[in-house]
Amino acid sequence: MLKLLKSIKKSFKSQFNAQSYLGVDVGTASIKVVELSGSGSEIMLKNYGILESSGHLERMNNAIQTSSLKMLNDETARLIKTLLKEMRPGTTDAIASIPAFSAFTSLLDIPAMSSDETTQAMQYQAKQFVPLPLTEVIIDWIPAGEYEDKDGVKKQQIFLIAIPREQVQKYQDIFKTAGLNLRILEIETLSLARLLTAGDPTTTLIIDIGARSTAIAIAKNGILRYSSQTDFASASLTQAISRGLSINVHRAEDLKRQKGLTGSEGAYGISTLMLPYVDVTLNEVKRVKGTYENNYHDSVERIVLSGGGANVLGIEKYVSQQFSLPTVKAQPFSHISYPPDTAPFINTIGPSFAVALGLGMKQFGKK
Ligand SMILES: Nc1ncnc2c1ncn2[C@@H]1O[C@H](COP(=O)(O)OP(=O)(O)OP(=O)(O)O)[C@@H](O)[C@H]1O
Ligand SMILES: [Mg+2]
């Protein structure tokens, strides 16, 4: 059974009475919900909530979901309901994310053609990289750019996504049980790309370090170009401290948050215990970056860190050194306004809300 560690609730009076939407991010260790409302080009945070499970630290099978473990429908619906009861949002219309590990994606270079023709071509293309019968997946595609090749032939880049029908059904069931109207389901890397690169043509590598999985996205202009993930993430750091110092995971979690990668306290220093796991994660990111750069002849120019794991002190500097690239912590609120009294929230737990915010943003013209 999942334990409720904490739920934070805050709702604000908004000057907008317009339709609002919920962005719902069901992670491995927490569920995060934001309610966004919009007027013209302005998007405003109306309400947010987080429900964290502490169980995932102690027992592997206490995670809400992982790439190997199936999410429990009733349990997840119950957790969402608990959170909504606290938040009391003004809408039941929801947009939800599915983890990067639940979908198959590919960036394709194909000749320019009409939208209908592209839809047909995608059926054939999907066969090449989806290891399931096509009747078992839902296929979607997004235009990712146009160019002329060296022979002057017009080409288009298409980001192709295939989600198993079983996964979609699962989310539909969970949201229905939780009393929500699930309008759109999208992979979390799409939401991250929208939120963290909208209006910015810089090729950006987004590393969203969660508790049990790290989502890796390459994007520019708000459009996702490459999506991957690894199971190494921030809970691995907590476990390394716990094992290294023979202390319980809760104490280890506190130490991780206090000390981070700063300071060097000798062989058993906190950062010394964590670095091998940070390196395993970053090696996977380097592999993904290399694949993208070689296949698409495009170079990553900067790195943005999001997810709760981006809060580990000193991680930006370490990542920047490892990749020799400018690295920043995500500023998820650069396109979204918020009441001034929420600034402490924005600065501390803001990066872990990146997926939920990117989802909510989808309804307000930022594709
Ligand atoms: N201030 C902090 N300092 C260090 N680590 C932190 C801090 N805040 C949160 N974390 C870590 O971030 C992780 C949770 O991140 P996040 O909320 O993005 O995960 P999640 O979305 O539930 O999981 P996932 O993305 O794996 O499904 C935890 O491992 C937690 O220890
Ligand atoms: Mg997450």
Side-chain angles (χ1 to χ4, degrees), residues 331-342:
Q331 297 200 322
F333 286 89
S334 52
H335 298 284
I336 297 168
S337 43
Y338 52 89
D341 66 338
T342 49

Side-chain angles (χ1 to χ4, degrees), residues 212-232:
R212 295 277 292 270
S213 78
T214 295
I216 307 164
I218 298 173
K220 57 176 135 184
N221 284 319
I223 294 170
L224 180 62
R225 300 175 59 77
Y226 204 82
S227 167
S228 187
Q229 71 94 35
T230 163
D231 282 346
F232 288 98

Side-chain angles (χ1 to χ4, degrees), residues 6 25-32 50-53 56-57 64-66 99 101 188 208-215 230-231 233-238 253-254 256-258 260 306-313 329 348-349 351-355:
K6 71 174 177 208
D25 171 14
V26 181
T28 57
S30 66
I31 296 174
K32 300 170 197 99
I50 176 171
L51 192 147
E52 283 186 342
S53 132
H56 78 282
L57 281 176
I64 299 171
Q65 62 175 331
T66 71
F101 55 71
E188 60 186 343
D208 185 281
I209 312 166
R212 295 277 292 270
S213 78
T214 295
T230 163
D231 282 346
S234 204
S236 315
L237 309 185
T238 307
E253 177 73 20
D254 288 345
K256 176 177 82 172
R257 292 185 188 218
Q258 274 165 27
S306 63
N311 291 317
V312 167
L313 294 173
K329 192 152 106 174
T348 52
I349 52 176
S352 60
F353 273 77
V355 170

Side-chain angles (χ1 to χ4, degrees), residues 161-173:
I161 305 156
I163 305 179
R165 285 185 188 278
E166 193 195 350
Q167 283 287 336
V168 176
Q169 188 60 49
K170 207 171 177 58
Y171 276 80
Q172 281 168 341
D173 292 346

Side-chain angles (χ1 to χ4, degrees), residues 2-15:
L2 289 160
K3 216 165 72 194
L4 174 65
L5 180 67
K6 71 174 177 208
S7 91
I8 303 166
K9 176 232 148 191
K10 190 119 185 142
S11 62
F12 326 105
K13 288 234 178 320
S14 163
Q15 71 262 44

